[in-house]
């Protein structure tokens, strides 16, 4: 509930543009990441830093409601969309599940009441702002889908569920019918192993159900299914390894799926060379930036 406030303790005013330039250079040259979206905008000064660094073309700004509302209108116009957290995370036992965590009476937390969430959706979608909703657990995802169903919104509204790790097939079908995009990360497929000690029985295999989404529900990578890598395991290496050699068969992505969902159109910034060793279930990536970059 206080994640935005905690994260915003760490940035500070006066950071020089060269530090941000160096960070984005490292993202590209070491991790193959050209475009990295800022999902937790700190404030107006951060946008100014991106502008001074010449990097506004390599990100989009998303802000929490309380941050967005505190900005002048001229700055609000530079904000692409609104980011909402609806539950926590599996590692902290706070992703909202329909069943209690193993060995616990707790089933995670929802950060909004249903009516409160629907009200936020109606407000910002009515303003024409895209909305990205962090939802990992199946209970949180179901709440998000129900809230979208409950609000009137412009026909071309952009709505994304971030992570959607434990999305069920019924929820996926409802979400797709509503035009909800999914932004998911293959590098969380190993959560099925890492958190087997706390996930309820039967919850490990449905984590990151890419094959169900693509084959049964017809979510199209790169169109309504965006594949990313977020801050943890940031980059192509681990995401590609877990796509090709996942812990559960239903998490597998093909090379074509991965390229369509993860890679940007070729604009001359460089390319990624991947060596695949199926015998040892390993992937080695080499990032080849262009000389100009």
């Amino acid at each position: 509930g206080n994640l935005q406030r905690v994260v915003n303790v760490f940035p500070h005013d006066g950071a020089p543009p060269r530090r941000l330039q160096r960070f984005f250079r490292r993202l590209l040259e070491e991790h193959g990441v050209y475009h990295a979206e800022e999902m937790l905008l700190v404030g107006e000064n951060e946008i100014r830093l991106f502008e001074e660094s010449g990097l506004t073309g390599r990100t989009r700004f998303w802000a929490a409601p309380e941050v967005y509302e505190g900005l002048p209108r001229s700055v609000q116009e530079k904000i692409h969309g609104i980011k909402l957290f609806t539950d926590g995370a599996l590692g902290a036992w706070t992703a909202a599940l329909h069943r209690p965590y193993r060995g616990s009476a707790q089933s995670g937390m929802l950060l909004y009441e249903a009516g409160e969430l629907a009200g936020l959706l109606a407000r910002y979608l009515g303003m024409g702002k895209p909305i990205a909703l962090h939802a990992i657990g199946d209970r949180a995802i179901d709440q998000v889908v129900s809230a979208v169903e409950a609000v009137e919104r412009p026909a071309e509204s952009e709505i994304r569920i971030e992570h959607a790790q434990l999305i069920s097939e019924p929820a996926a079908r409802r979400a797709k019918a509503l035009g909800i995009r999914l932004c998911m990360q293959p590098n969380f497929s190993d959560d099925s192993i890492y958190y087997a000690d706390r996930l309820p029985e039967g919850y490990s295999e449905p984590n990151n159900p890419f094959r169900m989404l693509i084959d049964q529900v017809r979510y199209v990578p790169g169109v309504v299914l965006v594949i990313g890598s977020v801050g943890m395991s940031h980059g192509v290496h681990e995401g590609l390894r877990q796509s090709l050699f996942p812990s559960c068969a239903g998490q597998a992505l093909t090379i074509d799926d991965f390229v369509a969902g993860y890679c940007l159109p070729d604009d001359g910034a460089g390319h990624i060379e991947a060596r695949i060793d199926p015998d040892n279930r390993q992937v080695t990536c080499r990032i080849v930036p262009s000389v100009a970059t």
Side-chain angles (χ1 to χ4, degrees), residues 17-292:
R18 64 178 180 277
R19 288 186 61 189
L20 189 61
Q21 292 166 342
R22 187 164 61 245
F23 173 70
F24 266 76
R25 188 181 309 117
R26 187 168 69 249
L27 281 182
L28 180 63
E29 295 177 352
E30 297 181 13
H31 302 288
V33 175
Y34 180 84
H35 178 94
E37 300 205 351
E38 171 54 291
M39 302 300 295
L40 288 172
L41 182 75
V42 176
E44 181 177 357
N45 287 339
E46 184 181 1
I47 297 179
R48 186 178 302 114
L49 177 62
F50 269 85
E51 291 173 339
E52 292 173 356
S53 304
L55 290 167
T56 54
R58 290 177 60 180
T59 193
R60 291 192 304 186
F61 300 109
W62 301 73
E66 57 269 26
V67 173
Y68 179 82
E69 297 295 347
L71 296 171
R73 183 173 297 275
S74 61
V75 179
Q76 288 179 343
E77 293 174 353
K78 300 177 182 180
I79 306 297
H80 176 74
I82 303 299
K83 170 71 178 290
L84 300 173
F85 284 87
T86 66
D87 71 346
L90 295 175
W93 310 66
T94 51
L97 310 181
H98 282 299
R99 292 170 53 194
Y101 283 87
R102 191 183 299 265
S104 171
Q106 303 301 317
S107 58
M109 61 170 64
L110 293 174
L111 299 184
Y112 295 102
E113 298 292 338
E116 184 182 9
L117 180 59
L120 287 169
L121 292 177
R123 170 174 172 76
Y124 291 109
L125 292 174
M127 294 167 54
K129 284 294 181 185
I131 294 185
L133 299 110
H134 166 114
I136 289 177
D138 52 356
R139 184 158 57 105
I141 295 166
D142 287 350
Q143 184 196 50
V144 167
V145 174
S146 295
V148 175
E149 288 175 332
V151 301
E152 295 184 9
R153 67 186 202 277
E156 301 302 318
S157 299
E158 180 186 349
I159 305 174
R160 278 174 29 182
I161 296 179
E162 305 295 313
H163 311 308
Q165 285 181 240
L166 291 168
I167 190 169
S168 66
E169 183 172 341
R173 292 189 181 279
R174 291 165 60 202
K176 187 169 183 292
L178 291 164
I180 296 175
R181 303 175 74 195
L182 305 180
C183 182
M184 302 177 67
Q185 295 77 35
N187 52 284
F188 289 153
S189 290
D190 271 358
D191 282 3
S192 299
I193 299 173
Y194 299 148
Y195 302 131
D197 65 330
R198 65 206 63 186
L199 287 170
E201 184 178 355
Y203 265 65
S204 289
E205 289 197 0
N207 173 44
N208 268 358
F210 289 118
R211 294 276 37 106
M212 175 270 286
L213 293 168
I214 296 170
D215 299 337
Q216 275 74 58
V217 187
R218 303 299 181 188
Y219 261 91
V220 179
V223 180
V224 286
L225 174 58
V226 181
I227 298 171
S229 56
V230 303
M232 294 72 74
S233 302
H234 210 324
V236 68
H237 310 79
E238 193 60 14
L240 184 56
R241 181 189 70 80
Q242 293 192 50
S243 295
L244 300 180
F245 307 113
S247 54
C248 303
Q251 299 168 336
L253 289 165
T254 67
I255 284 285
D256 289 343
D257 293 334
F258 187 86
V259 170
Y262 184 90
C263 296
L264 294 170
D266 185 4
D267 66 353
H271 63 278
I272 300 168
E273 295 179 357
R275 291 183 177 273
I276 300 165
D277 180 356
D279 294 331
N280 295 307
R281 298 170 63 87
Q282 292 295 322
V283 173
T284 304
C285 295
R286 187 168 77 96
I287 313 304
V288 187
S290 68
V291 176

